[in-house]
Amino acid sequence: MNIIYTDSLVIGGGLAGLRVAIAAKQRGYESIILSLMPAKRSHSAAAQGGMQASLGACIKGDGDDEDVHFADTVKGSDWGCDQDVARMFVNTSPKAIRQLSAWGVPWSRVRGGDRDVIINGEKVTITEKHDAHGLITARDFGGTKKWRTCYTSDGTGHTMLYAMDNKAIELNIPVHERKEAIALIHDDGVCHGAVVRDLITGELSAYIAKATTIATGGYGRLYSVSTNAIICEGIGAAIALETGVATLGNMEAVQFHPTAIVPVGILTTEGCRGDGGLLLDKDGYRFMPDYEPDKKELASRDVVSRRMTEHMRKGKGVPSRYGDHLWLDITLLGRQHIEKNLREVKEICEYFLGIDPVKEYIPVRPTQHYSMGGVRTQATGESPTLQGLFSCGEAACWDMHGFNRLGGNSVAETVVAGMIVGEYVADHCAKKSLNVSTTVIEHFMNRETDKIGALLTREYGENPFQLKAEMQKIMMDKVGIFRNGPDLEAAVEELKLLNQRAKKVALRNKISSSNPELVEAIRVPKMIKLAQCVAYGAMLRTESRGAHAREDYPERNDRDWLKRTLTTWKDDDADLPEISYEDLDIMKMEMPPGSRGYGVDNTVHHPDTEKRVAQIEEIKKANPTADRHEMQELLNPLEIPEKFKGRNERIGRGYN
Amino acid sequence: MSDEGRILRFQIFRYNPQKKGDKPRMVTYEVTEAPGMTIFIALNDIRENQDPSLQFDFICRAGICGSCGMVINGAPDLACRTLTSKFEDGEITLLPLPGFELIGDLSVNTGKFMRGMSERVESWIHDPDADKVNYNELEERMDPDIMEEVYELERCVECGCCISACATKRMRPDFLSAVGFMRLARFHLDPRDKRTDEEFYEILGDDDGVFGCMTLLGCEDYCPKDLPHQTQIAFLRRKMALVK
Ligand SMILES: Cc1cc2nc3c(=O)[nH]c(=O)nc-3n(C[C@H](O)[C@H](O)[C@H](O)COP(=O)(O)OP(=O)(O)OC[C@H]3O[C@@H](n4cnc5c(N)ncnc54)[C@H](O)[C@@H]3O)c2cc1C
Ligand code: SF4
Ligand code: SF4
Ligand code: FES
């Protein structure tokens, strides 16, 4: 039996995983990173748009700070997020971006003086402050009050990932590439590591660690059309689910991005609209102002995606052989801007659509994009039910996004959570010793060996590629942007059947080493289970919140549904997961539920909301001299590692 | 579209070194072309419907991650963003990128090479103070133009196409190659990296470095991200020639 020991095992070499490993290593703990492929190819590289951090250096970000970022994030989440976590996040994000700057990310910088920008379809000249020249600049993104999304032209994720992986290489952190974690090793409520398959030789090894972190990214590929990389299959979340002990949070919270190209679903960044691009219908008419007069194209993502779908349902979509779509018009930004700041978009249009976006409109449609749900963790990143298991990044439900995440808040989450969770991982390594019996390791190794053996010997059975395609179609058709009871019930039933069939997969290519069909056969049953968590959670949640939009329950219902969905799968033979709920306590909220300011507000309020609003008024009255930092401590005291407690400096404003 | 539904003929290199007794060979597959079909779509079609053992690497399928470099009708390129309609006669020959360890069929181990390259050129900011930086304070100011130029050089996706196209690399296995030169040029330009020209010379200044380069520029011709190899290699040569 091949066993590898380390202090901190990190499953996933994207931004989140790399940052956790760096934190542990800098504190003196050995870390090993596992990745399906070279870390620099992780999906984080695809983030074009930017990272939110309230630096407030560019003129349109003037007046920005943690509080404004916090309010945007909580509103964006439709009050579904954990406000303690959102607070930790907004306070730490400026530190994270500045650290990345020191580590080499070539963030785009403020250029003092006049420049022309497009705002609301018009050319406007804005004047950047000369004393901000050379500081990190920012662009506009949906759902934010200020221009807060910092960027590197349109290669933000790429440059962040390269800097982060380079840092890991500098620290000599090993990345074991082409390795797939296929099961967690645990007993007695403690996680000890993972069973890992080598994707080249097919060998299984046990990686044993004091702390195991799942940073495997999202589960977008449960859907047939997604902006996600094809490896975003949710396997990390699935192996946590399969422990029967760890819980998943808010799996039904799935975001659709307004502007992926038709038909292949490759993303054109929100930066297109942030920089002034418009959405047009088949008549060339700009329709968003009719629906959202205030934020227009830059309303929150979930809102824009729904408005686009509504508009297409009114017959205003552009018909094509791949179904209806709308137009994204960036021609008004001009060649120079597009070739510099939106070049990846231009390349994508040229290579995949054969069009020049400087002159032509881009065909777009809302498409699956982001997984708010994932491995449920506490604010420390540790699973509340499985000790020693941590998670962060898109794989986690740390829960700063609730039911809808803002553009730019995700790569920000990966690096901020990576910093914070990494400290807690290091604390955990300091406290614990490696303590696991070989019998336990053997048990899990044998179980996985037997499963693979069964796959390789079964003569006849189901085709894993086909099962996956069927699952993806069910999710697309019945668990999409707009959801309703009958469709969701049908999806839940159909997925149950698929789950049964997935137990009888047989292979045509019966070799145990490098074998793409075997990889698929190992993953597909796990993916179907995750799909069931999403569909079942969506069926039970009889309200609309953020990206979860029920046509039969259009109102946000705080009275009955201000809670987080928790999913476990205790009995492997069961044909459905178990779902329970965790209340969000309004009486502890820094920002009690209110209206997001889109469309009509039909919220069913919770009785505590009024109480908490009154209580906050009292606290404010009782502390008339408290500044914003003191007020935050009173309303939402933070537990965060000491090193992240400092205040953030801003140009023209100091540390206030 | 007139060519819709035509039959494409793929000639694909097949060899699985993991399988005892397997031998390198070319195998022909036929695929019915669909509108907007890329080599990514076609290869998956072959794997799902004809031969589930076929190995290849795609991740982003959007020309972003650099995993899908292969030799397409003689030219190294990113397969995911290559439309099949580009090939008028419908004949497409696919070979794995030369110069890298073969994993199987069209899959090669670029990752191992690139990690080695990053270690060799020390692909990170060299500044003893980088980890002491107080991140509560304003970040160090940077010239906006220089940051843009750094980004231009950082657009490399480590796909390996430049290496496959390099004759020097074929003759000198330890040749640092274009990807390494571009990485060094990136750090040389970055004011945050405090390395001196002498220190760069240590890495670059021999025949496995920039003096071994024959400037035939296969690298620039095939770089899918259009990195400015020619100007940067010439620049590094001039710089390094001044050191000694
Ligand atoms: C096209 C696109 C554009 C985006 N643009 C933006 C943007 O502009 N701003 C923003 O904030 N967010 C953006 N996002 C979202 C953001 O990029 C992601 O949420 C974020 O990068 C996820 O990072 P991560 O580290 O959590 O996971 P990933 O980067 O997805 O990394 C996952 C890692 O886990 C590994 N892995 C997975 N499963 C296993 C396993 N079983 N065993 C071993 N290893 C495994 C993979 O190899 C990989 O290394 C975008 C997303 C997409 C799809
Ligand atoms: S110029 Fe020629 S020899 Fe030099 S790196 Fe490029 S391909 Fe190789
Ligand atoms: S320099 Fe160009 S061809 Fe070479 S690895 Fe980078 S992107 Fe690929
Ligand atoms: S699959 Fe990412 S570049 Fe081709």
Side-chain angles (χ1 to χ4, degrees), chain B residues 162 165-169 175 177-178 181 212-220 229 233:
Chain B
C162 55
C166 174
T168 310
K169 171 76 180 136
F175 185 50
S177 308
F181 300 150
C213 166
M214 301 187 296
T215 49
L216 300 170
L217 295 170
C219 48
E220 179 154 317
H229 296 257
I233 291 174

Side-chain angles (χ1 to χ4, degrees), chain A residues 104 111 131 158 226 343 514, chain B residues 55 61 145 152 154 186:
Chain A
R111 226 180 269 274
D131 60 354
H158 172 86
S226 165
R343 181 164 40 175
S514 181
Chain B
Q55 296 183 56
R61 61 81 177 88
D145 294 325
E152 286 305 308
E154 189 152 297
R186 178 243 174 275

